[in-house]
Amino acid sequence: MKLSEIKAVLQNLEQIAFELPSGELVPPHFHVTEIGKIDKNFIDCGGTLRYETLISFQLWSASDYNHRLHPEKLAAIIELAEKALVLGDWEVEVEYQGETIGKYDLDFNGKHFVLRNKQTDCLAKEECGIPEKSAPANNATCAPGSGCC
């Protein structure tokens, strides 16, 4: 989801909930402890220099069980972050603590925000000889010297 989509959803919500990929809800006493701008500059395995900008929301649960983040409060935090960090209308990634810090894509199902598992991908499939429509088998490896990821 882009930031503008989240802001639009918040205008029509009475309460905020985040659903994990397992279907469980993040405990209702969660905090949004950070909103950040992530600039990623990298080179893919085919040698192409790439740039990506994301907005990061960090969710955290503490022992303050009576805490509830209301939609208007999150909208105010977003507005503050937009001004302070000069945020654009970029995709939002959510960080949440499981066994380790998980990073998720964000969606909305009409009731809850939904955390979607992120996937790695080869961005230079043509350089690796990987057909666009199919992915290598789980245990497949690239041939030495093929330039594959």
Side-chain angles (χ1 to χ4, degrees), residues 14-143:
E14 292 184 26
Q15 61 183 2
I16 304 170
F18 287 89
E19 184 179 319
L20 295 163
S22 66
E24 286 180 78
L25 293 178
V26 169
H29 56 279
F30 72 90
H31 295 253
V32 174
T33 57
E34 293 179 7
I35 294 180
K37 176 183 173 186
I38 309 295
D39 287 318
K40 183 178 176 182
N41 302 328
F42 60 101
I43 191 165
D44 68 24
C45 60
T48 302
L49 187 58
R50 297 181 184 264
Y51 305 93
E52 179 179 76
T53 301
L54 297 170
I55 297 170
S56 176
F57 286 12
Q58 185 181 78
L59 305 183
W60 178 68
S61 297
S63 58
D64 57 341
Y65 299 108
N66 293 323
H67 174 272
R68 297 294 183 273
L69 181 63
H70 297 280
E72 61 277 4
K73 176 65 174 173
L74 180 54
I77 295 168
I78 290 170
E79 184 178 328
L80 180 64
E82 283 180 301
K83 291 176 184 170
L85 300 173
V86 191
L87 298 179
D89 191 24
W90 301 307
E91 289 292 323
V92 174
E93 171 182 270
V94 177
E95 294 181 352
Y96 182 68
Q97 182 73 45
E99 289 181 33
T100 187
I101 298 171
K103 293 185 177 193
Y104 302 91
D105 286 327
L106 190 61
D107 201 353
F108 187 72
N109 67 7
K111 186 175 179 182
H112 308 120
F113 287 104
V114 179
L115 304 181
R116 302 270 183 228
N117 287 325
K118 293 179 78 82
Q119 302 292 315
T120 60
D121 193 10
C122 177
L123 299 176
K125 290 180 179 76
E126 66 285 350
E127 297 290 325
C128 297
I130 299 172
E132 283 293 325
K133 298 268 182 192
S134 65
N138 289 342
N139 295 327
T141 58
C142 294

